[in-house]
Every structure is written in structure tokens, then in C-alpha cells.
Amino acid sequence: MNDVMLQCHNLVKVYREGPQDLTVLDQLSLEVRAGERVAIVGTSGSGKTTLLNLLGGLDSPSSGDVRIAGKSLLGLSETAKGTFRNRHIGFVYQFHHLLAEFTAIENVAMPLIIRGQTRAQAKVRAVELLGQVGMQARGEHKPGELSGGERQRVAIARALVTDPSLVLMDEPTGNLDQTTAANILRLMDGIAENSKSAFVIVTHDPALAAHQDRILHLDNGRLTQTP
Ligand SMILES: Nc1ncnc2c1ncn2[C@@H]1O[C@H](COP(=O)(O)OP(=O)(O)O)[C@@H](O)[C@H]1O
Ligand SMILES: [Mg+2]
């Protein structure tokens, strides 16, 4: 359990906008061990989504490196990064990013099909995961037919279906009412207890943050731990 799952060192992200540079992440370092659960909090615009996108290889740092399971994301081609993500990372986006033309089952099965499982195999596992998030009755529905909370639960099932060693979540309960958020919190607790996945969860939700092993504040481009 002491293996380092995620490591980034002196991570810098500068957005260049015309004559003005915006330094969002400034020599940020972070280490997350296998199975560890970390919450990241910070004001709006502090760079939380930017950081998660870098950790998940969806965007590249201006300098510094991200290593996941000992492997550097630097210098991987987009295709290699995609394969690596599919193998190791589950991502829950701030806005669910489900595929509108596919059903809930198909959305959740997709990462497994990309991995090379047959449609039938992938579907069985997708149905199982949808059951775990309390969505077994809605498997044949498309995202447009689901509520915000239901879509978010499908997105969480999709992120977890591959048993990823690292789960990155960007405000997973951000757009949900309190009751739905509380349900998702309980659900994530159950899943985290039964899996060895490391979690990095960006959240404004104090209850969700308090459920993690550590809470880190993103401020002025760096992370600090609450005492
Ligand atoms: N693609 C981009 N180009 C330029 N500026 C960006 C881009 N993405 C984010 N920013 C800016 O970077 C800062 C951090 O944004 P973000 O990571 O979305 O913050 P948070 O998720 O904490 O609200 C904001 O000031 C935002 O306007
Ligand atoms: Mg954000």
C-alpha cells in the first residue's frame, strides 16, 4: 500500500493569452500512494480543473512531469497516452461528458470495449457497475433522458468500470442537490473501501472532502495540507 501511484514534481502551467501570461500552477508537487484518497479544494479559478487535466494526461504542463504507476506521461504520443489512460485512470469530468447517442450501459461499457473486451463481456460488467450506483433500472436510457444526478452516477460507473488504479474526479457532486450528493458520497465510500484505487477528488463539498484521507488546498498555484 506504500507504493507511489501518482507523482508530480515542480509542475508549472502557464496559459498564454496575448501579451499576458497566466501562471495557474507554479512549481506544484504532489504524491499520492496506492489506495490513498486525497481531496483538493480551492476557490473558483484556482486551477483545480487544470491540475486534474494534467494529472490525467488530458493536457500537458508548461514544465515539470507527471508520473503514474512509475511511468512518465511526458513524451508519450496522444495515442499512447490514450491507451495508458484507458489502462490506469478513471476520470469523472466536471460536466459528465457522456456520449449523448449511446445508452447508459453503452457509455459505461465503452472503456472496456476500447480495451478489447467483447461487447457481451463489457455489457455484463457495465450492468453490474450501474447496479452499484443504483442505476440498474436506467441502463437502456440515453443521457438526455436522465437527471443531472443520474448522469453523474453513470459517469462515476464509467470511471470505475475498468478497476483503475487511479481515479480522478472533478467536482463529482458539484451540480447535484444535497440528497443526491449524499447518496453518491455513500456510494463512493463503499466503492473506495472495496477497491485499491487511489482517488484524487476536486470538490467544494465539505462532506466529500472530509471523507478523504487528506485535504489539500490549491492556492497561488501550489498545494498545502490542512493541519
Ligand atoms: N484553456 C485555457 N486558456 C486560458 N486560460 C485558462 C484555460 N483554462 C483555464 N484557464 C484559466 O486558468 C485559471 C484556472 O482555471 P481552472 O483550472 O478551470 O480553475 P478551477 O477548476 O479551480 O475553477 C482560470 O483563471 C481560468 O480562466
Ligand atoms: Mg473546475
Side-chain angles (χ1 to χ4, degrees), residues 176-184 205:
L176 308 179
D177 61 82
Q178 273 195 353
T179 311
T180 310
N183 285 340
I184 288 193
D205 181 344

Side-chain angles (χ1 to χ4, degrees), residues 15-17 22 24 42-51 53 59 94 170-171 202 204 218:
Y15 289 118
R16 304 202 183 281
E17 293 189 273
L22 178 65
V24 178
T43 54
S44 175
S46 58
K48 303 180 299 297
T49 295
T50 299
L51 174 60
N53 287 344
D59 195 6
Q94 189 160 9
D170 197 355
E171 307 202 19
V202 162
H204 281 121
L218 181 56

